[in-house]
Amino acid sequence: MIEAQQENAARSLDMVLYDSIRPVEWRDGAVRLIDQRLLPARKEHVICRSVADVAEAIRNMTVRGAPAIGVAAAYGVVLAVRDRYAENPETWRQAVNADLELLAKARPTAVNLGWAVDRMRQQMERLEAEPVAPLLNEASAICQQDVDANRRMGELGAALIDADSAVLTHCNAGALATAGYGTALGVIRTAFQAGKIKHVYADETRPWLQGARLTAWELIEDRIPVSLIADGAATYAMAQGKVQWVIVGADRVAANGDVANKIGTYGLAVSARHHGLSFMVVAPTSTIDRSCPDGGSIPIENRAGEELLSFADARVAASGAQAWNPVFDVTPAALVDVLVTEMGVLKQPDAAKIAALFN
Ligand code: MRU
C-alpha cells in the first residue's frame, strides 16, 4: 500500500516536472493550441473551431514542430468531418476531400502532417455509420501514441549517453513540438533524470528563436540547466569541448536516412563530425517518409524574407537588402551517428537499416 502510494507520488512528480506540457488538446468540441508565437512572454491558447482555423494555425506557427503539426491536423480532420457531415450526411465525403487537401498543404516539410491526414483518411474510408466519434478516437490515438513514442525514445536515446555529459540542441524538439515530452528534449529529459546530462546548450535558432523562446522555457520549467548560445557559437562550443553530443529532432527522414530539420542542423552535423562528437537524431517512425528515396526529394519550405529582415516587427536589415529564407536543411545520413525511433535505435542509419526497421 505504502509502496503503491510512493510510486503514485513519484509518477505525479514526474508529470509535473518533466511531462506537464500539452500543446495540442481536444476540448469542448474544438482544438486548443498553446500559442507558440507568444511564449515565453505569455502562455495563451488559441481555439480552433474549424478545419480552416487549424490550417491557419499551422501556417502561421501557432502550432509548430513536426509531430505537433500532425496531431493538430488529425483533430482538424475531425472538425472537417463534423462540419461536412452536419451540412449533408449523404455527400460529406466529397466535400471533406477539399478540406483535407488544404490542411495537408499548410506546411510542406514536416511529413507528420501528410502522414496524420492520410491515417485519418484511411480510417474515414473504413467507416459506414456516424463518422465523428470513431475519427475522434483515431485522432486521440495518434496523440497518445506520439507521447508513448517519445517516452520510449527518451529511454533508448538516454541509454547511449555517458554520465556527466553536456549536449547541444537546435530549434525546439520538445513537448511543444510534439503531443508531449518531446523527441530530442525527451532524450534530454530522461538522461537528465538519470543523472547523465549536466548541462544543455541551446542554439537560439534564428529567425523564429525556437531555441531561445521555447527550448529554454521548457528546460527552465523542468529545472534543467540551460545556456543559450548564438547559432554561430555552436561550432566554437564544440571546439572548446563544451559538449559531447548534438541531439536534434527531424521534420522528415528519407528512406536512405537523410534528415530534414530546422535550418542550421546540417552545419551542426558537419561540425560535430569534424570535432569527433556524436550526432543523434530523435524521430518517431511517423517522421520517416519511405516514399522519399533521399533528401533531394524532400520539399524544403521557404518562408517570407520579412522574417529575416525584421525583428519583433521592426525592420533591422539595411533597406534594399533582400532575403533568402529556407527554414529547413538536409543532413546527409552519413553524418548521422544514431537515429533513435520508438521501434529501435539505428547506428549509422542507411536505406537497408530503415527498411529493416519497418519489416
Ligand atoms: O519551423 P518549426 O518550428 O516547425 O521547425 C521545427 C523543427 O525543425 C523541429 O526540430 C522538428 O519539427 C522536430 S520536432 C520534434
Side-chain angles (χ1 to χ4, degrees), residues 61 63-67 69 107 110 170-174 177-178 182-184 208 210 214 248-251 260-263 265 282 284 301 303 327-328:
M61 308 275 286
V63 59
R64 35 66 50 200
I69 291 174
R107 283 188 80 189
H170 189 62
C171 191
N172 171 265
T178 61
T183 58
W208 270 83
Q210 288 95 331
L214 308 177
V248 296
D251 278 77
N261 191 48
K262 180 54 56 193
I263 191 78
T265 303
V282 189
E301 179 180 11
R303 291 184 68 91
V327 298
F328 299 100

Side-chain angles (χ1 to χ4, degrees), residues 108-110 252 260 289 292 295-301 328:
T109 304
R252 191 182 300 226
D289 183 358
C292 265
S297 41
I298 299 178
I300 297 295
E301 179 180 11
F328 299 100

Side-chain angles (χ1 to χ4, degrees), residues 104-165:
K105 288 196 181 120
R107 283 188 80 189
T109 304
V111 72
N112 303 62
L113 174 55
W115 172 87
V117 171
D118 279 350
R119 186 168 148 178
M120 294 296 288
R121 198 196 301 272
Q122 281 166 24
Q123 175 71 1
M124 204 173 90
E125 280 160 9
R126 284 193 285 267
L127 297 172
E128 275 158 26
E130 195 282 322
V132 181
L135 287 173
L136 182 55
N137 279 343
E138 186 70 1
S140 303
I142 289 175
C143 185
Q144 186 56 46
Q145 285 162 13
D146 189 60
V147 179
D148 295 344
N150 292 336
R151 285 290 191 164
R152 179 75 188 127
M153 292 189 292
E155 287 162 14
L156 293 172
L160 303 169
I161 296 172
D162 290 332
D164 284 333
S165 296

